[in-house]
Amino acid sequence: MSEQLVFQPSAAAIARTHVTKAQYEQMYARSISDPDGFWAEQAKRLDWVKAPTIIKNTSFAYPDVSIKWFEDGVLNVSYNCLDRHLATRGDQTAIVWEGDTPGTDGKATYRELYERVCRFANVLKAHGVKKGDRVTIYMPMVIDTAVAMLACSRIGAVHSVIFGGFSPDSIAGRVADCGSKIILTADEGRRGGKTIPLKKNVDEALAKVSGVETVIVVKVTGNPVAMTEGRDVWYEDAAAQVGAECPPEPMNAEDPLFILYTSGSTGKPKGVLHTTGGYLVYGALTHQLSFDYRDGEVYWCTADVGWITGHTYIVYGPLANGATTLMFEGVPSYPDASRFWQVVEKHKVNIFHTAPTAIRALMGAGHEFADKYDMPSLRLLGTVGEPINPEAWLWYHKHIGKERCGIVDCWWQTETGGHMIAPFPGAIPTKPGSATMPFFGVQPVVLSPEGRLQEQTKAEGVLAIADSWPGQMRTVYGDHQRFIDTYFTQYKGYYFTGDGCRRDEDGYYWITGRVDDVLNVSGHRLGTAEVESALVAHPKVSEAAVVGYPHDLKGQGIYCYVTLMAGEASDDALKSELRNWVRKEIGPIATPDLIQWAPGLPKTRSGKIMRRILRKVAENDFGSLGDTSTLADPAVVDDLIANRQNR
Ligand code: WT7
């Protein structure tokens, strides 16, 4: 029913838009028919040391996948985000910072940010960091984190930001994978009234991985932390010893900019590698057009910089556009469920961008928390990270947007660098729950699960992309074969997204969620394989299988089937022990929601776990288990159903 609802862009949105409906159609068509011409023009939004003459050089042809954009161009990302704005907007606020504790805030103008970045870059150089070196950043939501990222880009170092919620083990794995010799961290972070022991976590990680020579520690809370002589340095001490000037390193467009680890359906998280020119062109363009950003507006994306959304839509896209971007240290529920709206009023936010999981939680807390705030500054609302249910969309539109603000549902991935499917706010009518239409240069296709191209408009299947766009990841760091295996092998000639989708009669895309063994828990991506390997690492666990199930707030919850070693007592104490164990191994986002003791798992005679059955039982939908005749022991299923945890 609500899927039939269509919201036209408001008169105000149409009046101010960068791109009208007719322009969208005409520019989209050109971006597909003449990608070289289209992207050569778009590249001019950046300042290049040497402008590119070769624009698109890409192939999805299996097995020789190769992706290059602007390959003879030379530029520097931090120059584009900072230096080039100084003459026109040096005194404009670049970053507004709002602290976890109400009443704490700060800001940096473009000039101040520039100065802080140059100094930080000199600290990195003084500690031996060179172009191409990997720098791990494990920091909280403070301005210095953006400074650290930009400082890396200034000298051509490749950052690998790790979300502050990840555990010491997760840090160790990522540090080892990219071979970084330096970690930038803080004493502690703050979140929801609690402190997060960042430096302590780094210390624990470094007990498990070798090769890190330097840890630079930014003072955030000022609480005492252990410092290891000869390895650990306070940032403020190091900064006092370096100069203020740091020229930007000229980088080839295809030089790496950053690595960001993300979960896949198998194995350990993979290092998604993004490069310099294509990523920045795409990030800046999508930021400007998806949010119809204009000079002087205050833009707030509530993501953490530890995720791709924070990279592209808190730091790089907005700053390349000379925007004012807000960084929020806290959480939506602290001190209470009105915090977001207080911050919107306080900083006169024009564009607000968050995740469905936060919207659902705030909806659950009650609209009274938002009703107290008129928020006249708000113009546009964004949602990203997971499918948004129409009910939450409509609540967001009514209670936050006061039926005045458009909603931009952005579908994309860590791998895509920037938005892929999202409505241009002044051009595309929206439908609650649909990410709508593709961005310039993006050619979505719907395939049947077996790989047949669905040519009719109305279609359902898996979502793939037919050709490259500038923001696309280039490889899995250190493992190009894994890049090809993961994205280009199952459906040859296409980039496979891992998502299912439906295209309606108007050509609108409706993302239905992952079709692989990747979970989306509160907008955070998690491989079932990672949770399984954490569980089987526990001495009392013999075997584990993990699936997702629908969860009202989180989108998906984590459902674990656990087989214990012979003789272990299957009691609640052990369940909470396992929950804590997984938290410690991966991080709080991976905490199991439901654990079911499974004396046996449903396996085929060849020993393969039939996940389809496990998913059905976890969804409490076991009426239609499908064909179970290939099971080695069909009685296992009866036991699973009888003891199911989600009723
Ligand atoms: C997966 C990517 C880059 C955004 C932050 C998450 C899901 C993302 C939407 C949306 C439906 C969405 C997909 C995708 N997803 N945005 N608007 N509607 N689903 O990035 O951690 O790389 O996760 O998030 O399943 O594949 P990520």
Side-chain angles (χ1 to χ4, degrees):
M1 174 61 184
S2 52
E3 290 188 5
Q4 305 306 317
L5 283 176
V6 178
F7 290 79
Q8 296 297 331
S10 66
I14 293 171
R16 53 162 283 144
T17 190
H18 281 102
V19 177
T20 64
K21 180 121 203 283
Q23 283 169 323
Y24 167 74
E25 281 161 7
Q26 177 254 321
M27 289 172 78
Y28 179 77
R30 168 146 191 249
S31 73
I32 305 303
S33 65
D34 175 22
D36 284 332
F38 182 88
W39 290 109
E41 255 164 51
Q42 294 305 330
K44 293 185 184 146
R45 65 173 38 247
L46 300 184
D47 283 12
W48 298 79
V49 177
K50 178 184 177 299
T53 63
I54 306 169
I55 306 301
K56 180 176 188 285
N57 180 4
T58 70
S59 167
F60 284 4
Y62 180 85
D64 301 312
V65 177
S66 150
I67 297 156
K68 288 182 187 152
W69 284 89
F70 313 117
E71 64 189 272
D72 63 342
V74 177
L75 76 167
N76 180 278
V77 166
S78 86
Y79 179 90
N80 275 281
C81 291
L82 300 168
D83 309 44
R84 67 170 177 154
H85 300 314
L86 295 180
T88 49
R89 52 176 104 241
D91 297 326
Q92 181 200 308
T93 302
I95 301 181
V96 184
W97 178 79
E98 172 74 17
D100 186 50
T101 311
T104 56
D105 54 26
K107 69 177 180 104
T109 63
Y110 271 94
R111 187 171 317 283
E112 288 160 351
L113 195 61
Y114 162 83
E115 285 164 1
R116 285 167 73 167
V117 168
C118 288
R119 199 168 282 277
F120 209 124
N122 283 334
V123 167
L124 294 176
K125 279 189 183 166
H127 286 85
V129 179
K130 294 191 183 58
K131 180 173 174 171
D133 288 353
R134 279 80 56 219
V135 175
T136 296
I137 301 181
Y138 183 66
M139 289 178 68
M141 283 292 286
V142 293
I143 293 177
D144 276 324
T145 306
V147 169
M149 293 162 73
L150 288 160
C152 289
S153 77
R154 193 161 192 87
I155 63 171
V158 183
H159 60 67
S160 161
V161 180
I162 302 177
F163 172 57
F166 279 122
S167 66
D169 279 305
S170 301
I171 301 168
R174 287 155 169 79
V175 165
D177 185 81
C178 72
S180 82
K181 292 195 230 124
I182 180 165
I183 301 183
L184 315 179
T185 189
D187 46 7
E188 293 175 320
R190 290 172 288 235
R191 236 172 147 255
K194 302 194 186 95
T195 55
I196 298 155
L198 298 173
K199 174 62 168 63
K200 184 165 162 278
N201 288 348
V202 168
D203 288 342
E204 283 177 29
L206 292 187
K208 304 176 190 220
V209 60
S210 57
V212 173
E213 292 157 8
T214 311
V215 177
I216 295 180
V217 188
V218 173
K219 202 166 270 180
V220 171
T221 64
N223 290 327
V225 292
M227 296 290 277
T228 299
E229 185 77 39
R231 185 194 74 187
D232 302 349
V233 192
W234 285 105
Y235 175 72
E236 52 188 22
D237 297 342
Q241 287 167 28
V242 298
E245 309 276 308
C246 178
E249 185 74 29
M251 303 296 287
N252 180 272
E254 282 299 338
D255 281 336
L257 176 62
F258 65 83
I259 299 165
L260 187 56
Y261 286 86
T262 194
S263 298
S265 46
T266 56
K268 56 188 172 77
K270 45 184 177 292
V272 167
L273 184 92
H274 283 287
T275 58
T276 300
Y279 172 80
L280 197 64
V281 169
Y282 199 73
L285 183 67
T286 49
H287 170 260
Q288 184 188 38
L289 298 187
S290 297
F291 301 115
D292 200 22
Y293 187 83
R294 298 264 173 190
D295 273 356
E297 290 191 309
V298 178
Y299 160 88
W300 178 18
C301 166
T302 69
D304 191 283
V305 287
W307 310 110
I308 190 70
T309 310
H311 284 56
T312 310
Y313 297 114
I314 294 177
V315 179
Y316 291 118
L319 296 177
N321 289 335
T324 297
T325 177
L326 193 148
M327 257 178 112
F328 177 46
E329 189 182 38
V331 296
S333 55
Y334 178 78
D336 66 33
S338 66
R339 186 65 197 280
F340 273 177
W341 323 128
Q342 272 170 31
V343 176
V344 167
E345 279 222 335
K346 174 177 172 184
H347 295 290
K348 301 189 173 53
V349 171
N350 302 113
I351 302 159
F352 174 77
H353 191 29
T354 195
T357 188
I359 300 168
R360 287 192 298 265
L362 295 170
M363 182 167 85
H367 59 80
E368 300 74 24
F369 287 100
D371 291 349
K372 290 180 275 182
Y373 300 88
D374 288 337
M375 302 185 272
S377 59
L378 271 188
R379 174 176 74 68
L380 194 67
L381 302 174
T383 166
V384 63
E386 42 173 330
I388 183 165
N389 44 314
E391 191 195 2
W393 195 105
L394 292 167
W395 183 88
Y396 196 31
H397 184 251
K398 177 162 182 209
H399 294 288
I400 308 307
K402 317 288 184 194
E403 297 181 335
R404 182 186 78 240
C405 305
I407 296 191
V408 184
D409 179 351
C410 314
W411 174 82
W412 60 299
Q413 310 178 295
T414 305
E415 294 88 338
T416 71
H419 300 155
M420 298 289 279
I421 301 182
F424 283 57
I428 307 292
T430 49
K431 302 185 189 187
S434 169
T436 78
M437 303 293 257
F439 194 78
F440 299 143
V442 175
Q443 296 182 57
V445 294
V446 179
L447 306 175
S448 74
E450 303 75 38
R452 252 174 299 107
L453 180 65
Q454 306 296 295
E455 294 188 76
Q456 69 287 9
T457 305
K458 200 169 167 188
E460 191 162 353
V462 302
L463 180 65
I465 312 291
D467 200 358
S468 184
W469 61 98
Q472 183 171 25
M473 73 183 283
R474 301 302 194 253
T475 192
V476 171
Y477 184 80
D479 195 350
H480 194 63
Q481 193 56 45
R482 191 169 176 200
F483 177 59
I484 295 167
D485 292 347
T486 308
Y487 304 103
F488 299 96
T489 302
Q490 197 172 346
Y491 302 106
K492 303 230 169 21
Y494 298 104
Y495 165 81
F496 176 44
T497 65
D499 279 325
C501 95
R502 199 155 58 70
R503 187 169 54 211
D504 72 15
E505 54 282 5
D506 300 323
Y508 276 49
Y509 290 86
W510 301 74
I511 311 299
T512 51
R514 304 288 306 199
V515 295
D516 52 8
D517 291 319
V518 171
L519 305 181
N520 193 325
V521 183
S522 301
H524 301 319
R525 213 164 128 169
L526 200 60
T528 54
E530 283 168 79
V531 184
E532 286 163 5
S533 69
L535 283 167
V536 297
H538 189 283
K540 292 180 183 168
V541 173
S542 132
E543 208 174 5
V546 172
V547 297
Y549 71 100
H551 188 289
D552 285 347
L553 290 181
K554 299 177 171 186
Q556 275 188 306
I558 304 175
Y559 194 116
C560 309
Y561 297 90
V562 175
T563 308
L564 294 175
M565 296 290 190
E568 295 297 345
S570 53
D571 53 20
D572 285 349
L574 184 53
K575 278 193 184 176
S576 67
E577 187 179 322
L578 291 182
R579 266 194 205 97
N580 287 331
W581 174 268
V582 175
R583 281 173 76 90
K584 188 184 81 39
E585 291 273 311
I586 304 174
I589 59 168
T591 310
D593 292 286
L594 296 173
I595 296 177
Q596 174 170 354
W597 304 123
L601 293 171
K603 290 185 188 166
T604 61
R605 282 182 205 97
S606 60
K608 193 169 164 351
I609 295 176
M610 289 181 78
R611 294 180 161 274
R612 177 173 55 81
I613 292 174
L614 295 176
R615 279 192 210 105
K616 287 280 184 191
V617 174
E619 286 164 11
N620 199 21
D621 168 27
F622 46 86
S624 55
L625 286 181
D627 182 12
T628 55
S629 63
T630 55
L631 281 177
D633 177 10
V636 162
V637 178
D638 299 331
D639 176 82
L640 291 178
I641 292 174
N643 294 300
R644 68 193 186 278
Q645 300 291 302
N646 174 27
R647 299 174 188 245

